[in-house]
Amino acid sequence: MTTALRECERLARDEGLAAGLAAAVADTEVAATAPGRFAAVPARSVPDGAPVRRHRVADHEGVVFLETPGSPDGATGAADALLAVGRRLAAVRIGLTRRLLDQAVEHLSGRLAGDEPLIRKQLVVGAVADTVAELELLREQILAPDDPVAVADAHGRLDDLGWEVLKLFGAAGYIADHPARALHVSVLVGNTWVVRDGGPA
């Protein structure tokens, strides 16, 4: 993994989604690169008066959606920059998933130490191990040279892994005040930067 990707992952794991997102889009001309009408950016980076869309849960994570014209069709420079952002953003989402997985393990450790059935403990340990293994594979996948399909596929897998981690928190993972909300927001962020199935979400 390159230094830039490693740093994006580290920031997201240590400091959260907004910090990782800031690194992923650093030195990127957002208006000229974003593929759709809106691009997720850290709220603190948006100039006063810039047109943004807000999302209640994203607000808690320090993320807003900046209105953009969308990148022009066939612009090679924009495509290259978009692929670079997609890779860095995948690294951010890997770090964020690890961050929340660590919190889920801590959340469950007390519960699983008690009288929980053995099968439940085995299922949880298996889910955690599977998630860690999948994250390792995705680290390699996003390094595929000049392959936007591989990067888009990695984001799709990260969507799925996020839902698996959310399940480990039980009902708490679906509450807007819970830290797991960052996984919900990361899907929205990915949808504004990654072209999938013929276009951005």
Side-chain angles (χ1 to χ4, degrees):
M1 184 174 264
T2 69
T3 302
L5 295 179
R6 195 175 295 114
E7 180 63 6
C8 285
E9 180 178 341
R10 184 197 67 77
L11 281 167
R13 188 169 182 180
D14 293 349
E15 301 178 31
L17 178 58
L21 178 58
V25 299
D27 303 322
T28 299
E29 192 175 337
V30 174
T33 306
R37 290 186 52 231
F38 295 94
V41 294
R44 67 176 183 265
S45 71
V46 177
D48 288 341
V52 296
R53 287 272 175 95
R54 305 189 80 89
H55 184 284
R56 185 174 60 89
V57 179
D59 282 345
H60 289 296
E61 291 303 312
V63 173
V64 295
F65 302 90
L66 181 66
E67 190 172 337
T68 73
S71 62
D73 292 338
T76 303
D80 291 346
L82 186 59
L83 180 59
V85 171
R87 278 196 176 105
R88 293 192 299 263
L89 188 54
V92 168
R93 296 184 68 196
I94 288 169
L96 183 68
T97 303
R98 242 350 261 269
R99 175 185 176 92
L100 271 297
L101 185 63
D102 292 345
Q103 291 179 20
V105 169
E106 185 177 336
H107 166 78
L108 290 167
S109 61
R111 290 178 164 85
L112 295 181
D115 295 331
E116 283 283 328
L118 179 59
I119 188 69
R120 165 86 171 130
K121 294 177 184 178
Q122 291 172 329
L123 287 171
V124 169
V125 169
V128 170
D130 288 348
T131 300
V132 170
E134 183 77 17
L135 291 173
E136 292 296 328
L137 290 172
L138 290 173
R139 277 194 191 97
E140 296 302 315
Q141 182 172 331
I142 63 175
L143 295 176
D146 303 321
D147 192 350
V149 174
V151 172
D153 179 69
H155 279 277
R157 286 296 307 134
L158 285 161
D159 291 350
D160 295 340
L161 284 177
W163 289 116
E164 293 304 316
V165 173
L166 281 170
K167 291 178 193 175
L168 296 174
F169 289 103
Y174 300 92
I175 297 173
D177 291 336
H178 193 277
R181 68 184 174 228
L183 292 170
H184 293 284
V185 178
S186 77
V187 174
L188 300 176
V189 170
N191 285 344
T192 70
W193 281 106
V194 180
V195 178
R196 304 189 235 191
D197 299 324

